[in-house]
DNA sequence: TCGGCCACCATTGTATACGCTCTTTGTGCA
DNA sequence: TGCACAAAGAGCGTATACAATGGTGGCCGA
């Protein structure tokens, strides 16, 4: 209605550009990454509603494409699709949070052995570069960037092990972990300590999968332990949130 | 496939074919399950093309709904969506097959411990009933049904462990395994031996997670070993299939 | 004043129409 | 006879239009 023309061509705010009629779902993929990144970086917080019209307007496409992206995000559990209510950023439940970290503990630790065997010099350098960026982001108080980089780091680590199926699964778990951090994390205490990732790289570079696995276990457990996972009263949650938020 | 055309569009604008007012994706979910089941049962074989128009006609909905279902199936790796070529049942690659079984080995074995602790009397009876049905299907030479039941069995087993995230993952892996069986399996040698599942239930009923895990490991490895995993020439597969088809 | 009811509106669900790309087939030339 | 190019056809990608449903706000009655 209000979209006179597709003004998303040269928007200054958004960086993911959709060049009008992109062949295939190329343009849609950019939108997907854009929204996904926004969720992982906590620019879109759990519970935030995602109206199709608004997104269509922002990205300069019709609702059809937005629906496609939203469904993909819903299948990855990043957004929740309520039948006649629309889409919103998923607010992970306590059980969900526990399940995700349990799954990460199981899968990521077990993958360290293969990763230690298959890791190459290039991989090591790439991971070190990522860890460095993450440290810098932390130093600059850019927690959003740091969280995103941490998720990418874990996903990349999983890729090195050589199993694409498991790597994709870990990637999803890492993304969901970011949501869990947004809900149950304490401000000022980020999930991953940057030194942890550096240590992890060292163990892998030394080819010691067992130590890497042990360290990964402690790493993930420390993240989970830093969370405040408890059921909130849920009676009048919105009111409490409203008065407690604004941080 | 022989009994196609069950309800061929009673009316062009008919709205009663999806059991009345299907709000949300209720009707779509039925379509999803229908196609998914057909793939898992090998009624739709790997490589089979899934034209949107045809499916829309068969299920009495428009292409919009079919596209939604197809995308979900694509994200679960059951169908492959080629940009301008449409959808087809995924033909798992050799690497994919190895990855899937490696993932199953890792996850399913590790879940046995929790399953042994949490399993209830009702679960045991349900699993036994499923194993029984599977045996009967095998006895009746209904391999399609047996394969489907086997996949459901493994997925149900994963659910018992209490981790929904992992259970969902195992469910996907089991479905993909059915595809792998269709491509690399030897005729006459089904994936899961029915007695294996019975033994598994016994171990779990006895609360012995370690033995169950060991047995699951052997079980999965024997399935994988029974496959003929090697690259096929892939020159003119369709023609060969057509002439090799029963009728 | 509070609770229930009704109407309007906002938003999603579904269908249809149109354009584009890829495939296939037929024909001409080397 | 084999290959290359072109035209026709089929099928998918996207946008738009219509319909249905749930929420919101106001109104009326107790």
């Amino acid at each position: 209605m209000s979209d006179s023309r597709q003004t998303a061509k040269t928007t200054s705010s958004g960086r993911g550009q959709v060049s009008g009629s992109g062949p295939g779902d190329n343009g849609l993929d950019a939108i997907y990454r854009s929204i996904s990144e926004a969720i992982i970086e906590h620019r879109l917080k759990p519970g935030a509603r995602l109206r199709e019209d608004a997104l269509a307007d922002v990205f300069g496409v019709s609702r059809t494409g937005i629906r496609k992206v939203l469904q993909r995000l819903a299948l990855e559990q990043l957004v929740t699709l309520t039948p006649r209510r629309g889409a919103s950023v998923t607010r992970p439940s306590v059980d969900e949070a526990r399940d995700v970290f349990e799954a990460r503990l199981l899968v990521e630790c077990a993958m360290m052995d293969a990763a230690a065997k298959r890791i190459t010099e290039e991989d090591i350098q790439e991971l070190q570069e990522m860890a460095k960026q993450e440290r810098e982001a932390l130093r600059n108080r850019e927690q959003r960037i740091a969280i995103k980089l941490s998720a990418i780091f874990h996903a990349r680590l999983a890729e090195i092990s050589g199993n694409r199926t498991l790597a994709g699964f870990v990637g999803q778990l890492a993304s969901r972990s970011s949501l869990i951090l947004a809900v149950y994390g304490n401000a000022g205490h980020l999930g991953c300590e940057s030194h942890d990732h550096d240590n992890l790289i060292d163990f892998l570079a030394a080819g010691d999968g067992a130590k890497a696995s042990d360290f990964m276990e402690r790493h993930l457990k420390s993240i989970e332990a830093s969370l405040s996972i408890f059921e909130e009263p849920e009676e009048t949650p919105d009111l409490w949130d409203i008065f407690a938020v604004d941080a």
Side-chain angles (χ1 to χ4, degrees), chain A:
Chain A
M1 306 174 189
S2 61
D3 58 347
S4 54
R5 298 293 296 168
Q6 40 183 353
T7 59
K9 281 285 187 175
T10 56
T11 33
S12 56
S13 59
R15 53 181 309 159
Q17 293 306 338
V18 284
S19 61
S21 61
D25 48 355
N26 223 343
L28 278 305
D29 203 53
I31 297 176
Y32 160 78
R33 275 175 297 182
S34 192
I35 298 180
S36 177
E37 204 173 66
I39 294 176
I40 292 174
E41 288 184 7
H42 298 180
R43 298 202 313 265
L44 283 172
K45 296 181 181 175
R49 294 190 58 179
L50 302 171
R51 284 186 298 115
E52 296 178 353
D53 271 337
L55 290 173
D57 198 26
V58 166
F59 290 102
V61 295
S62 79
R63 277 178 47 217
T64 310
I66 296 298
R67 292 179 66 79
K68 189 190 283 188
V69 172
L70 250 33
Q71 282 193 18
R72 179 170 170 189
L73 289 167
L75 259 61
E76 292 176 2
Q77 309 263 182
L78 287 183
V79 314
T80 301
L81 239 50
T82 319
R84 294 283 179 179
R85 298 285 307 278
S88 59
V89 179
T90 296
R91 183 189 298 271
S93 69
V94 171
D95 288 338
E96 211 174 321
R98 195 187 318 117
D99 287 354
V100 167
F101 273 97
E102 187 179 283
R104 290 189 66 173
L105 206 61
L106 166 57
V107 176
E108 291 198 64
C109 292
M111 292 177 87
M112 287 301 97
D113 227 40
K117 286 176 185 164
R118 297 175 52 100
I119 197 166
T120 67
E121 197 58 41
E122 292 177 354
D123 293 330
I124 293 173
Q125 288 187 4
E126 184 186 350
L127 290 176
Q128 284 174 337
E129 175 63 26
M130 294 173 73
K132 182 185 168 195
Q133 285 185 14
E134 193 182 337
R135 252 178 293 135
E136 288 180 359
L138 269 179
R139 194 180 313 129
N140 298 338
R141 303 283 185 177
E142 296 174 330
Q143 296 201 349
R144 290 173 174 175
I145 309 294
I147 288 178
K148 181 188 68 176
L149 288 173
S150 175
I152 296 176
F153 179 87
H154 280 267
R156 189 76 192 83
L157 208 55
E159 276 178 22
I160 290 174
S161 77
N163 191 320
R164 291 185 185 178
T165 296
L166 282 174
F169 186 52
V170 169
Q172 284 188 23
L173 292 177
S175 299
R176 292 173 68 185
S177 294
S178 173
L179 274 183
I180 294 169
L181 276 172
V183 177
Y184 302 106
N186 296 318
H189 189 283
L190 197 55
C192 297
E193 302 294 338
S194 52
H195 296 298
D196 281 11
H197 287 179
D198 283 316
N199 290 340
L200 217 41
I201 297 172
D202 290 340
F203 286 133
L204 290 177
D208 196 336
K211 276 187 182 171
S213 177
D214 283 349
F215 194 84
M216 176 67 89
E217 181 179 343
R218 285 201 303 275
H219 176 54
L220 290 174
K221 280 185 176 174
S222 83
I223 297 175
E224 191 178 2
S226 78
L227 301 179
S228 306
I229 298 188
F230 55 83
E231 295 276 5
E232 296 192 358
E234 287 298 338
E235 279 306 312
T236 54
D238 291 345
L239 286 178
W240 286 57
D241 278 344
I242 287 172
F243 288 113
V245 96
D246 190 22

